[in-house]
Amino acid sequence: MGKHVNITIDGRNILADEGRNLVDVATENGFFIPSLCYFENIDPPLGTCRTCTCKINGKFTPACTEKVREGLAVEVNSAELKDMRKGIVEMMFAEGNHICPSCEKSGNCDLQHMGYELGIAISRFPHLFKNRLIDYGAKRMVMEHNRCIKCLRCVVEVENDDGKKVFSYQNRGNETHVGVDYEEEKKLTRDQAIQAMNICPTGAIIVRGESVGKPFGERKFDEDSIRPDYVKPVKSDNNIDLSNVEKKRVATVSLAGCFGCHMSMLDVDTEILDLVELITFDKSPLTDFKKFTQRCDVGIIEGSVCNEENVETLRTFREQCDLLVAVGECAIWGGLPSLRNTIPLGECLEEAFLNCVTNEQGNTTIPYHKHLPKMLDRIYECREVVKIDYFIPGCPPDAQHIWKAVKNLLWNENYSILYSEFKYD
Amino acid sequence: MSKTITIDPVTRVEGHGRVTIHLDDEGNVDETYFHIVEFRGFERFIQGHPYWQAPNLVQRLCGICPVSHHLAAAKAIDQIVGIDPKDLSTGATKLRRLLHYAQIFQSHALHFFYLASPDLLFGVDAPPEKRNVVGVAVENRELAVKGITMRKFGQELIKALAGKKIHGTLAVPGGVYKSLKAEERDTFLNGKEFPDIDTMIKWSQEMVDFMKDYHTKNRVFLDTFAAFPSGHLGTVRTDGALELYDGKLRAIDSEGNITLPDVEPDDYLEYFSEAVAKWSYMKFPYLKSVGRKKGWNRVGPLARMNICDYISTPLAEKARREYFEFTGSSVNNSTMYSHWARLIETLHCAELMKELLLDPDILDENDLVREGNERNVGIGIIEAPRGTLTHHYEVDDKGMIVRCNLIVSTTHNNDAMNEAVKWVANNVISREKTITEGMLNQVEVAIRAYDPCLSCATQAMGKMPLKAELYDHEGTLIGEKTKN
């Protein structure tokens, strides 16, 4: 038992054991400090991700590297700090290619989890779409460099029975990546390899045959927030007084989207019959209105932008709708179709129309015609084309999430999203 | 008189297409094209990824039938880990089948009630503001509630099995994640949270009866509208029964002659080729043995009714017999019969779901995943709601996908939809001085009968503008009309 010391967190006096990690002390006392590189077994802490940045005695400092001592004055929850920490996590999402819907670690991923806890629907930074290697050279594992946040956990922690390190930083600056020593990796036992996979806060280390986790709903971060200050919202707050409501017009469109978001909108089931008492669907794939019949209050956009026609459509929606809501991962940042952003478009076309195993022998035709809109060089986020007013993440977003948000935008109805309803996959 | 007709977008279908209709100098239809205008490139960008990601990744092709892609990919990936369909455990097979039937049930319900029924209930000339599910609800709330609830039942069962209603995950290489718990299963049998499986069977039967009656009343239109000869393709059991999850490939010509005699799905490359046209991103699959001109096949409910010898569940088999008694022939080439066939399949899936929900094997938590000797090629073929779906992957020795070939259900229907558009152009629009909104809707009605999923077919995600334009014999665009 160490010596007790007095510290303050956000002005509250706290008695704590001297020398303990500040993140742990704060958490025990009801303060949520996000962290990614911090790992209980690694001492000294790494301090690489900066996700836990707080003001400590007036200086911006990562909390995980701070040990509690007498007189420590810690500021955690100022607006500036909350936004800074959120921005750091957003930067990680933008810097890598974190496609949650296709990632084995989804639901058990610390980066994704921090996104949920911080309420990140979209990154303020443009996605870089760096073309990174998926390294199959190791015996037991596949290194997915698109997902690595360079936290250093594996570099410091993972070693084989010979005491040899398996991972190391290679290159410098933004070209830094975690290299694998294939010879030492071969010596890892199965359990050691799985431990390496589990220590990774993202899906960068995948052990062959061991990456299948648990089903949806049973994964680590599916259901409940870890925030001590998380107030569970009321599940249903659909209390619109129908007698006093002005009917609103809603338009919807699927650009480069799989239609899953539209299907999710219908997953409110018979509630849709109540909704149509409140809203009129204008231009939408679900109606036969080919063009806007009048100005709409809200436009719901599914899908990313992949050709010139998508651009035109999106601009028309911006002109004709008071508010635009981007629904789903594709609309928000490109989603799964953005996998083509690191591949020349020509290669995609050649694979489909020239090299495909069922293609006719000797075919030299790649579709190109005046009635085929020109493809864009890459997938674009909707906000790169027009201003988007609201973002609803998910693949697809939960039906309740979509309609709660839309009702809030239309009538300022109370709006609270369950932790379990806010997901990226 | 020169004119261009624009239908932009085609609605109550999924995907993105455009029709151009070219006239000769007499005003007769010379050529029609159904252009698919988006492209996504899944077959290329999945390369480089580990094989085990495929079932989860490729299901994002489609938000209406993700389960079909998930399971077709899973069957292919099973082979990569050395597991053929016969090697999968009984429990895993039944759980996957249950998921698949729930998917077809909800997809067919969606298509009929949300997308197609407005045309059938209100007529092709009904005002556009009425032709949607809201219009159906206003006109017949009970019918709308039943339709929505049927889709809900399927979606809830998908969620129980795969964790989510859309883009969930059940299949893993060599098996499944989980079995059903007894209390989860009971939800679908006790009717406490939503109507039970017996109610689903009852309502499905009602819809089949409704459609039979509808055909009786509208026979001339439904027999002739967009009717044309074609081949038909699907999968059957070894005894010739309709098989939706794991059958052999069978194709027949428009008169019922066998053109593909119950072959193994793994051998599909021997039999199929795909043509490319410069005016569409969607390819044109056909049977090599028959040739490009006549070797294309319709797929989906209409085709499946035609190719199977019988249906294994009693109510659906009775409905199938009545269907063919009504048509008076063993092969039906009328596009509009797709809706009836689709409802018979809906009934079949409801019966199959009941069988499986009462089967204790779906509760068995043991032996859910099996392992075999790894291979480099995996092929999975399944009957998706819209027809025969093929996923083919090749991987290197490290497990990296190096090649992917997808033949999606709607792609098989590419020629058929072009034929349907041509039929409407020739029989409804050709030489007409005034083009009405109702005429244009008939182009969509013809396409809609195929329940096209153009996102899937082009591996493109998209909306569905369908732009119809008229050209004279010199290829000059001759006017414009926009549908509102």
Side-chain angles (χ1 to χ4, degrees), chain B residues 215-228:
Chain B
H215 272 261
T216 305
K217 291 173 180 166
N218 301 277
R219 177 145 202 173
V220 174
F221 171 72
L222 296 168
D223 278 5
T224 55
F225 183 81
F228 49 83

Side-chain angles (χ1 to χ4, degrees), chain B residues 142-297:
Chain B
E142 187 193 0
L143 180 74
V145 168
K146 281 182 180 176
I148 290 167
T149 308
M150 284 169 73
R151 177 170 182 265
K152 175 185 170 72
F153 185 94
Q155 290 288 79
E156 291 288 349
L157 187 46
I158 289 168
K159 186 180 178 185
L161 288 158
K164 283 174 72 190
K165 291 178 178 178
I166 300 162
H167 299 327
T169 303
L170 175 70
V172 296
V176 293
Y177 258 120
K178 55 169 276 191
S179 57
L180 270 188
K181 295 183 175 70
E183 58 271 23
E184 288 175 322
R185 186 270 318 272
D186 291 346
T187 308
F188 302 94
L189 298 173
N190 62 24
K192 288 178 181 171
E193 287 185 40
F194 40 80
D196 63 10
I197 184 62
D198 285 324
T199 307
M200 292 304 116
I201 292 171
K202 178 170 167 279
W203 289 354
S204 300
Q205 182 69 64
E206 283 176 15
M207 295 307 156
V208 171
D209 295 342
F210 162 85
M211 188 52 74
K212 184 181 177 184
D213 183 55
Y214 184 84
H215 272 261
T216 305
K217 291 173 180 166
N218 301 277
R219 177 145 202 173
V220 174
F221 171 72
L222 296 168
D223 278 5
T224 55
F225 183 81
F228 49 83
S230 77
H232 300 273
L233 169 70
T235 60
V236 292
R237 282 191 336 205
T238 48
D239 64 354
L242 174 65
E243 172 56 51
L244 298 168
Y245 175 73
D246 188 39
K248 295 185 187 302
L249 289 162
R250 178 188 287 184
I252 58 172
D253 66 14
S254 61
E255 294 171 352
N257 303 304
I258 296 284
T259 51
L260 191 63
D262 298 18
V263 301
E264 290 294 338
D266 288 358
D267 300 328
Y268 88 101
L269 274 175
E270 288 179 36
Y271 304 103
F272 288 95
S273 190
E274 290 181 287
V276 177
K278 66 181 181 182
W279 44 268
S280 178
Y281 283 121
M282 188 153 74
K283 293 191 277 190
F284 296 84
Y286 62 91
L287 283 168
K288 288 193 261 191
S289 59
V290 184
R292 170 70 190 96
K293 196 171 179 183
K294 291 189 174 178
W296 55 271
N297 294 283

